[in-house]
Amino acid sequence: GAGVSQSPSNKVTEKGKDVELRCDPISGHTALYWYRQSLGQGLEFLIYFQGNSAPDKSGLPSDRFSAERTGGSVSTLTIQRTQQEDSAVYLCASSSIRDTEAFFGQGTRLTVV
Amino acid sequence: AQSVAQPEDQVNVAEGNPLTVKCTYSVSGNPYLFWYVQYPNRGLQFLLKYITGDNLVKGSYGFEAEFNKSQTSFHLKKPSALVSDSALYFCAVRDTGLNSGGYQKVTFGTGTKLQVIP
């Protein structure tokens, strides 16, 4: 596609449920990032995928968070047993060596009630 | 490890006055530097980047940024602020040092809220 696509755009879930957030990066981009942004706040790095290398998971806040990137393209961020503090906008971005800058999706707004 | 610092959580400026949003960085090699803007309830939009060459980089909406290697800074500037420039601004860096290989990870600063006062 023309840009980074994230789905769903909004998700409301009950505390304790699992959620999956999807990111479709720009075709051909080898790097993919997940960030979290609380209301009006900065970006919190979660995880970074680079080609076939082992992902940089250093930003995942707990073992309830995990992410996969299948076939070097689509990525899924999974949050298990959601808590109210998980409520935030989850942003995905992708980049390539040639383009240098990262391109962001519109984000998924997650609300845990 | 690469890092970015945006020392000001918020910058207030009167409409028509020049604005500066500060950014300093730390990398092992040569940096690629970026500025992004986020308008309320919107995603992050790319503003400008420094890769190599002229230290003064011009970007969208009349913004520019100056790369200063000795001060490891990349401050965002605009000669005359508009109320519509009010937004959250993020500085970012990517390391191109020899040890970075094909590593493309971009590290973002914590963001600076710019408020332009009419």
Side-chain angles (χ1 to χ4, degrees), chain B residues 43-60:
Chain B
L44 270 78
Q45 298 177 32
F46 169 74
L47 261 185
L48 51 79
K49 64 182 176 184
Y50 170 83
I51 303 300
T52 187
D54 195 346
N55 289 343
L56 184 64
V57 178
K58 294 186 183 297
S60 307

Side-chain angles (χ1 to χ4, degrees), chain A residues 2-92:
Chain A
V4 178
S5 177
Q6 291 188 246
S7 60
S9 55
N10 280 285
K11 176 72 175 178
V12 180
T13 189
E14 292 180 351
K15 178 181 173 181
K17 300 283 190 183
D18 297 352
V19 294
E20 285 191 352
L21 312 180
R22 178 186 168 104
C23 173
D24 279 279
I26 293 173
S27 178
H29 278 192
T30 56
L32 187 147
Y33 319 72
W34 283 99
Y35 294 89
R36 180 167 70 174
Q37 186 178 30
S38 300
L39 186 61
Q41 300 300 308
L43 296 176
E44 178 186 3
F45 167 73
L46 296 177
I47 188 168
Y48 165 68
F49 294 92
Q50 171 66 58
N52 295 321
S53 302
D56 176 353
K57 303 179 181 180
S58 61
L60 294 178
S62 77
D63 58 9
R64 296 187 295 105
F65 288 73
S66 62
E68 290 184 339
R69 188 178 185 193
T70 54
S73 182
V74 172
S75 177
T76 301
L77 177 69
T78 301
I79 308 173
Q80 295 178 311
R81 305 181 303 280
T82 52
Q83 303 295 313
Q84 288 186 329
E85 61 262 29
D86 298 336
S87 297
V89 175
Y90 289 81
L91 293 166
C92 177

Side-chain angles (χ1 to χ4, degrees), chain B residues 29-73:
Chain B
N30 292 319
Y32 288 172
L33 293 155
F34 312 90
W35 276 102
Y36 288 79
V37 60
Q38 186 179 37
Y39 297 103
N41 299 314
R42 303 287 296 277
L44 270 78
Q45 298 177 32
F46 169 74
L47 261 185
L48 51 79
K49 64 182 176 184
Y50 170 83
I51 303 300
T52 187
D54 195 346
N55 289 343
L56 184 64
V57 178
K58 294 186 183 297
S60 307
Y61 312 121
F63 283 93
E64 58 189 29
E66 186 167 12
F67 171 60
N68 187 317
K69 188 172 184 178
S70 63
Q71 297 185 3
T72 61
S73 67

Side-chain angles (χ1 to χ4, degrees), chain B:
Chain B
Q2 58 192 33
S3 66
V4 176
Q6 293 183 243
E8 304 152 317
D9 290 337
Q10 181 160 336
V11 170
N12 296 322
V13 63
E15 187 176 24
N17 282 3
L19 70 86
T20 298
V21 182
K22 295 179 180 177
C23 172
T24 58
Y25 66 90
S26 175
V27 294
S28 62
N30 292 319
Y32 288 172
L33 293 155
F34 312 90
W35 276 102
Y36 288 79
V37 60
Q38 186 179 37
Y39 297 103
N41 299 314
R42 303 287 296 277
L44 270 78
Q45 298 177 32
F46 169 74
L47 261 185
L48 51 79
K49 64 182 176 184
Y50 170 83
I51 303 300
T52 187
D54 195 346
N55 289 343
L56 184 64
V57 178
K58 294 186 183 297
S60 307
Y61 312 121
F63 283 93
E64 58 189 29
E66 186 167 12
F67 171 60
N68 187 317
K69 188 172 184 178
S70 63
Q71 297 185 3
T72 61
S73 67
F74 190 57
H75 301 331
L76 181 70
K77 300 182 180 184
K78 187 174 182 180
S80 178
L82 300 173
V83 172
S84 57
D85 293 330
S86 298
L88 194 54
Y89 290 82
F90 292 94
C91 181
V93 68
R94 181 176 135 188
D95 195 352
T96 63
L98 290 177
N99 292 330
S100 66
Y103 199 64
Q104 299 164 213
K105 182 180 175 182
V106 178
T107 298
F108 283 82
T110 52
T112 298
K113 182 178 180 180
L114 174 66
Q115 190 74 38
V116 181
I117 303 163

